[in-house]
Amino acid sequence: MSEDDERQQSPPSDLEFVSNKARNCNATGSGSGHPEFQSTYPDQVLENVLENVLHFLTSRRDRNAASLVCKSWYRVEALTRSELFIGNCYAVSPGRATARFTRVKALHLKGKPRFADFNLMPPDWGAHFNPWALAMAKAYPWLEKVHLKRMSVTDDDLATLAELFLGFKELVLVCCDGFGTSGLAIFVSKCRQLKVLDLIESEVSDDETDWISCFPEGESNLESLIFDCVECHINFEALDRLVARSPSLKKLKLNRYVSIGQLYRLMVRAPQLTHLGTGSFSPSDIAGQGDQEPDYVAAFAACRSLVCLSGFREIIPDYLPAIYPVCANLTSLNFSYANITADQLKPIISKCHKLQTFWVLDSICDEGLQAVAATCKDLRELRVFPVDPREDNDGPVSEVGLQAISEGCRKLQSILYFCQRMTNAAVIAMSKNCPDLVVFRLCIMGRHRPDPVTGEPMDDGFGAIVMNCKKLTRLAVSGLLTDKAFDYIGRHGKLVRTLSVAFAGDSDMALKYVLEGCPQLQKLEIRDSPFGDAALRSGLHHYYNMRFLWMSSCRLTRHGCQEIARAMPRLVVEVIRSADEEEMDDVVGTLYMYRSLEGPRTDAPKFVTIL
Amino acid sequence: MSSENGKRLLETDAGGLNFEATELTLGLPGEPRVTSDGGAKLGSKRGFSETVDLKLGDNNQEVKLGHSLQEAAKSPVSKTQVVGWPPVRGFARRGKKSCKYVKVAVDGAPYLRKVDLEIYNSYQQLLTSLEDMFSCFTIRNYLNEKKIDQVNGIEYMPTYEDKDGDWMLVGDVPWQLMKSSEAVGLGLKTAPKYSSTN
């Protein structure tokens, strides 16, 4: 493939290629054949072909690889990338991103690290969407889709999206904050082409604005409206009218201020729904006792396409039988807000033969999990959340439930399991019974808790997971763990990309094992573990390959982190102080470091020191 | 999906607890609490958002407290719990059967607070919590007739508006009765209100 010396004068665009074809054929004289057939410059043909082919390349990893082949491929790939994913908003500046990729239609941005969800990071740390919104308004006026996770989004940003992007279609905000119902009101009123508005686990402030009423009149293009996390009253009549005029609506997830009676009305309007979040699933207080209850069963029966059910935010279990008609078709069921018992679960779950994703509260106990294992042979993802997330000696779920699941659900790929006690035997059993596991996150809520049967640390259990689950890419460990567990992870966890560690390990060796042994490691989050500067140094060879490293309440010192910062200029090393720490303390409360092309960010708040 | 992050601040505040002794730190049971490397008491977490505003298990948008309140707000933070552990998101409560929110207004304060009566088991807990929320005012502990440290010389009487719209003095009726009768009615109209005396 020739270098593009001849083509450097014209910046590539597909329109220019077409016209250059004719122009360049006289300039070069290269290639053989009759002049009439010499209609295109051979390298240009190659680039056109490449452009057409690369349009089909969607995986960003494949695209990244393609862009490294040569300058020509780099350029063409940049032209044809329509979906831009940036895993850390501070790794690259909006200007740099928009300069390289000129034809982006969809932007996916992630901001704060995950531990920010658990109050381990002060508010106002950063991850502001604003500079991105402004940069894209200039660079991509045709932008259609924005997907943000853990970013701070303001009402003004929402207004920007709606006003400056005329064809804007899809907004997905996951774990975001900084905006309110007034921002939503402006957004929905101006965004006429809107198809998707998904607010997922985001914090939306209640400015007491009736945003539902702000959707424009007339037929709407809405396909998905998810607002179950919005903790504000909504105007139900306006919502009812909106659903009535949204014939394409497939996904609707209501918040807990929608009563079951109101749900009924919406379901009757939209039997075509595939994804439904039921809201409170209880009657409103105003409903009189003697009123005729609607036929909820019939409403569910009419929803023949329903495959994903969630909500149940304030469930009255008496109403559960209403969902029987849809159970057989469900592939995803989220009961993680429903405090129900095993007996209340059983009649439901016994009908859910096709279930692949199940989120539930530990109120169902081991017995409930056994029922799940008995029926849900196709289960791929299980999440068991605690009703009472405190450290305790007793809990409703234990190794018994995990063992049952491992025996019944052999196709399991992803598990998140909160419990008070767990044995190595059950974890080892799961490692053998469920070889397809990609995600294994076990949270034994009692810190430093050993195997209650043997008294041993949990090293062998997690060791078995990394040894036997050859596809494992994400791991979260807990319980009493010595350095040995981390030795296992370093030796066998060759595909692990995300690792979460809390209250674990004995010494620096543990962290060294991981940093030296796991070549695919990209995200490492550690809290309250005895790892110090020496351990940190052992990762110098790898930090540029990682998205980030988080270490809080470990044994790092400021000068240790400074050493890293000096050794690695393209790493941003942030030391985050908590309220009671002095600025020049040598002890580091929280270290958050990440690779970046931009150097220290300019929007860091006072409690962040960038070394 | 998220779950309650277990910031049951006042449930564990059973009055008179020696918080130092129950403070959880990194290390196996029986280890000395002060670690050899001095400053860092591993595992005892300085919470961030907890010291700024007391989010009592809900995610209602609350007015951010001023700096002076941060200091006071630190003390009632449950010392028997580590911040951010277990790692369950606090955006919404899971499985909570009921909640009884009331608005709390203090005469002369520019903001209201929302309080969930459900999480308190006694008047004492409620008053202690309110005192920390509004620590720039002195709230008279009417139940015990104890004088709480005076900050600016003005005492406040805790009162509430019951379902009949009458202003009642906190402590007149048993705790459970007030809790169940106050939360009755559409929306959250009832508001314990603090009116200044003297």
Side-chain angles (χ1 to χ4, degrees):
Chain A
M1 194 117 38
S2 70
E3 276 308 310
D4 49 8
D5 5 3
E6 309 230 13
R7 238 167 291 114
Q8 266 167 14
Q9 67 270 25
S10 56
S13 77
D14 54 359
L15 292 173
E16 283 184 75
F17 271 142
V18 169
S19 54
N20 279 345
K21 264 188 225 171
R23 264 191 278 138
N24 282 347
C25 69
N26 295 323
T28 66
S30 66
S32 54
H34 203 276
E36 290 114 67
F37 297 119
Q38 202 185 333
S39 56
T40 53
Y41 190 23
D43 284 341
Q44 211 131 33
V45 173
L46 208 57
E47 276 211 18
N48 286 348
V49 168
L50 195 58
E51 200 174 320
N52 285 316
V53 168
L54 286 186
H55 271 299
F56 292 101
L57 209 62
T58 46
S59 147
R60 63 176 192 265
R61 289 202 183 97
D62 289 346
R63 282 191 160 271
N64 291 345
S67 70
L68 295 174
V69 170
C70 66
K71 279 190 193 169
S72 172
W73 280 54
Y74 179 92
R75 205 179 45 230
V76 177
E77 190 285 311
L79 280 179
T80 55
R81 190 179 297 222
S82 61
E83 184 154 339
L84 184 58
F85 171 87
I86 294 172
N88 175 1
C89 63
Y90 287 121
V92 66
S93 70
R96 191 186 293 262
T98 53
R100 176 175 169 185
F101 301 104
T102 51
R103 299 202 198 144
V104 168
K105 284 203 229 159
L107 177 74
H108 189 141
L109 256 187
K110 293 190 178 181
K112 294 175 233 186
R114 200 178 69 96
F115 273 7
D117 291 352
F118 314 124
N119 293 327
L120 293 182
M121 186 173 245
D124 305 323
W125 169 83
H128 303 289
F129 178 57
N130 185 261
W132 291 91
L134 299 176
M136 285 184 314
K138 282 192 213 122
Y140 315 133
W142 49 76
L143 192 75
E144 289 179 358
K145 173 178 167 178
V146 167
H147 186 306
L148 303 178
K149 187 167 185 179
R150 292 196 191 95
M151 301 277 305
S152 266
V153 182
T154 62
D155 290 340
D156 284 339
D157 295 332
L158 292 176
T160 302
L161 285 177
E163 285 161 11
L164 300 185
F165 300 96
L166 299 175
F168 198 79
K169 296 198 170 74
E170 219 174 293
L171 181 63
V172 178
L173 300 178
V174 180
C175 300
C176 293
D177 61 12
F179 62 101
T181 47
S182 31
L184 287 178
I186 305 175
F187 178 76
V188 303
S189 69
K190 302 212 171 164
C191 200
R192 308 229 144 212
Q193 312 284 337
L194 192 66
K195 286 190 180 171
V196 172
L197 176 59
D198 290 352
L199 305 170
I200 298 168
E201 295 193 68
S202 294
E203 209 167 312
V204 182
S205 69
D206 186 358
D207 311 323
E208 298 190 5
T209 312
D210 178 4
W211 60 283
I212 296 278
S213 300
C214 294
F215 280 90
E217 288 302 323
E219 187 166 295
S220 133
N221 297 325
L222 265 186
E223 294 173 10
S224 175
L225 180 61
I226 296 180
F227 64 95
D228 54 338
C229 64
V230 177
E231 289 286 307
C232 321
H233 287 278
I234 50 131
N235 179 338
F236 177 74
E237 295 304 323
L239 179 62
D240 194 30
R241 287 194 301 272
L242 176 63
V243 170
R245 65 181 192 277
S246 305
S248 309
L249 193 69
K250 291 282 191 291
K251 303 187 187 183
L252 179 64
K253 297 198 184 180
L254 309 164
N255 70 9
R256 65 183 178 94
Y257 292 92
V258 178
S259 70
I260 193 170
Q262 292 170 332
L263 170 68
Y264 173 83
R265 284 173 55 184
L266 294 174
M267 289 178 74
V268 165
R269 289 238 189 252
Q272 77 279 7
L273 289 175
T274 58
H275 294 59
L276 175 65
T278 65
S280 68
F281 214 68
S282 57
S284 67
D285 296 326
I286 308 166
Q289 292 291 37
D291 285 357
Q292 181 83 26
E293 292 254 58
D295 189 349
Y296 297 118
V297 176
F300 275 95
C303 291
R304 296 176 182 285
S305 313
L306 207 59
V307 292
C308 172
L309 195 56
S310 63
F312 310 102
R313 295 267 171 156
E314 284 167 4
I315 189 175
I316 304 263
D318 302 343
Y319 289 99
L320 263 180
I323 75 171
Y324 288 166
V326 296
C327 289
N329 286 332
L330 285 183
T331 55
S332 170
L333 178 57
N334 182 348
F335 269 157
S336 67
Y337 288 91
N339 193 335
I340 56 173
T341 64
D343 286 335
Q344 288 161 342
L345 176 71
K346 281 179 187 174
I348 308 266
I349 208 73
S350 60
K351 298 176 169 61
C352 295
H353 299 277
K354 286 194 193 163
L355 209 59
Q356 294 186 12
T357 301
F358 186 49
W359 292 18
V360 72
L361 283 177
D362 63 4
S363 57
I364 62 165
C365 301
D366 287 327
E367 195 188 330
L369 290 172
Q370 286 164 333
V372 174
T375 315
C376 305
K377 299 304 177 188
D378 227 9
L379 198 68
R380 310 294 159 113
E381 178 180 322
L382 174 68
R383 295 197 191 188
V384 181
F385 293 96
V387 168
D388 186 6
R390 282 188 293 187
E391 301 179 65
D392 217 334
N393 285 319
D394 281 312
V397 298
S398 68
E399 67 272 11
V400 173
L402 193 75
Q403 179 89 28
I405 292 288
S406 79
E407 288 166 6
C409 307
R410 299 297 177 108
K411 296 188 194 170
L412 201 65
Q413 293 172 0
S414 171
I415 183 163
L416 170 62
Y417 196 91
F418 284 86
C419 58
Q420 297 288 357
R421 56 174 275 159
M422 183 52 59
T423 60
N424 280 306
V427 178
I428 294 170
M430 177 156 273
S431 77
K432 293 181 179 159
N433 292 334
C434 304
D436 291 339
L437 276 177
V438 174
V439 174
F440 185 80
R441 299 159 70 191
L442 176 64
C443 183
I444 303 167
M445 292 189 277
R447 292 165 295 153
H448 312 295
R449 203 160 276 176
D451 181 327
V453 169
T454 64
E456 299 277 299
M458 296 301 297
D459 299 339
D460 289 341
F462 287 103
I465 291 286
V466 286
M467 271 187 261
N468 299 333
C469 302
K470 312 253 191 272
K471 303 180 193 174
L472 196 79
T473 59
R474 182 170 180 182
L475 180 64
V477 300
S478 60
L480 180 64
L481 292 170
T482 71
D483 290 348
K484 192 160 90 153
F486 297 92
D487 187 17
Y488 287 141
I489 296 172
R491 274 179 212 279
H492 302 283
K494 294 304 176 188
L495 296 183
V496 170
R497 293 204 295 263
T498 305
L499 180 62
S500 282
V501 178
F503 304 101
D506 300 322
S507 75
D508 285 347
M509 287 311 298
L511 184 51
K512 272 192 196 175
Y513 290 139
V514 168
L515 289 170
E516 287 168 3
C518 300
Q520 299 296 322
L521 194 62
Q522 285 172 18
K523 298 187 268 184
L524 181 54
E525 45 189 32
I526 303 174
R527 64 168 293 182
D528 295 274
S529 299
F531 308 142
D533 300 334
L536 200 61
R537 271 196 292 277
S538 64
L540 283 171
H541 67 287
H542 190 62
Y543 292 138
Y544 281 156
N545 295 332
M546 290 177 65
R547 188 178 298 170
F548 72 79
L549 169 65
W550 167 290
M551 288 178 68
S552 58
S553 304
C554 296
R555 292 198 185 156
L556 299 174
T557 67
R558 201 185 164 93
H559 64 263
C561 296
Q562 190 85 62
E563 236 186 272
I564 306 291
R566 267 190 227 117
M568 308 194 76
R570 295 263 202 214
L571 215 57
V572 174
V573 179
E574 293 194 13
V575 171
I576 303 172
R577 273 191 312 285
S578 62
D580 53 8
E581 281 172 40
E582 291 300 315
E583 178 143 358
M584 290 315 289
D585 255 1
D586 199 38
V587 170
V588 161
T590 299
L591 166 73
Y592 178 52
M593 68 188 206
Y594 49 89
R595 66 184 170 191
S596 173
L597 294 173
E598 310 304 339
R601 58 186 173 113
T602 50
D603 63 355
K606 283 193 308 244
F607 51 81
V608 169
T609 307
I610 298 179
L611 298 178
Chain B
M1 291 298 136
S2 53
S3 172
E4 183 177 10
N5 66 358
K7 282 195 273 201
R8 309 278 187 99
L9 303 171
L10 276 302
E11 281 185 84
T12 54
D13 177 13
L17 256 186
N18 177 359
F19 286 125
E20 292 301 304
T22 55
E23 188 174 71
L24 295 173
T25 57
L26 183 69
L28 296 172
E31 273 186 4
R33 292 195 176 265
V34 178
T35 56
S36 55
D37 56 5
K41 245 202 295 188
L42 300 170
S44 64
K45 200 42 180 135
R46 303 78 52 191
F48 291 123
S49 66
E50 278 179 322
T51 59
V52 172
D53 64 354
L54 293 169
K55 282 206 179 134
L56 300 160
D58 74 300
N59 67 345
N60 277 303
Q61 192 60 25
E62 312 211 12
V63 178
K64 293 283 181 218
L65 303 183
H67 176 72
S68 58
L69 289 162
Q70 286 182 40
E71 300 307 306
K74 264 187 212 169
S75 47
V77 168
S78 169
K79 291 288 206 318
T80 61
Q81 252 179 295
V82 176
V83 168
W85 187 261
V88 180
R89 276 191 217 117
F91 286 127
R93 276 172 319 223
R94 288 183 190 276
K96 231 184 179 249
K97 295 226 151 75
S98 62
C99 66
K100 296 193 160 81
Y101 280 112
V102 291
K103 284 188 199 165
V104 178
V106 178
D107 277 356
Y111 48 80
L112 299 178
R113 297 304 303 263
K114 263 187 193 164
V115 169
D116 176 10
L117 294 185
E118 203 55 48
I119 74 174
Y120 302 111
N121 294 324
S122 70
Y123 279 118
Q124 187 61 48
Q125 286 181 7
L126 172 62
L127 288 176
T128 311
S129 167
L130 291 172
E131 188 179 271
D132 295 311
M133 272 187 246
F134 296 96
S135 66
C136 43
F137 307 106
T138 303
I139 297 167
R140 180 179 229 178
N141 190 326
Y142 197 67
L143 302 173
N144 303 347
E145 296 294 334
K146 263 189 313 201
K147 287 269 173 156
I148 299 155
D149 291 341
Q150 308 227 352
V151 174
N152 56 10
I154 300 175
E155 272 180 20
Y156 286 78
M157 304 288 295
T159 57
Y160 66 92
E161 184 179 343
D162 72 1
K163 58 184 190 239
D164 300 323
D166 300 321
W167 285 105
M168 312 288 290
L169 202 58
V170 161
D172 277 354
V173 297
W175 170 252
Q176 286 301 334
L177 193 60
M178 184 200 92
K179 201 163 79 167
S180 55
S181 70
E182 287 327 287
V184 161
L186 294 172
L188 305 158
K189 298 257 167 60
T190 59
K193 194 167 151 111
Y194 292 73
S195 39
S196 58
T197 57
N198 102 326

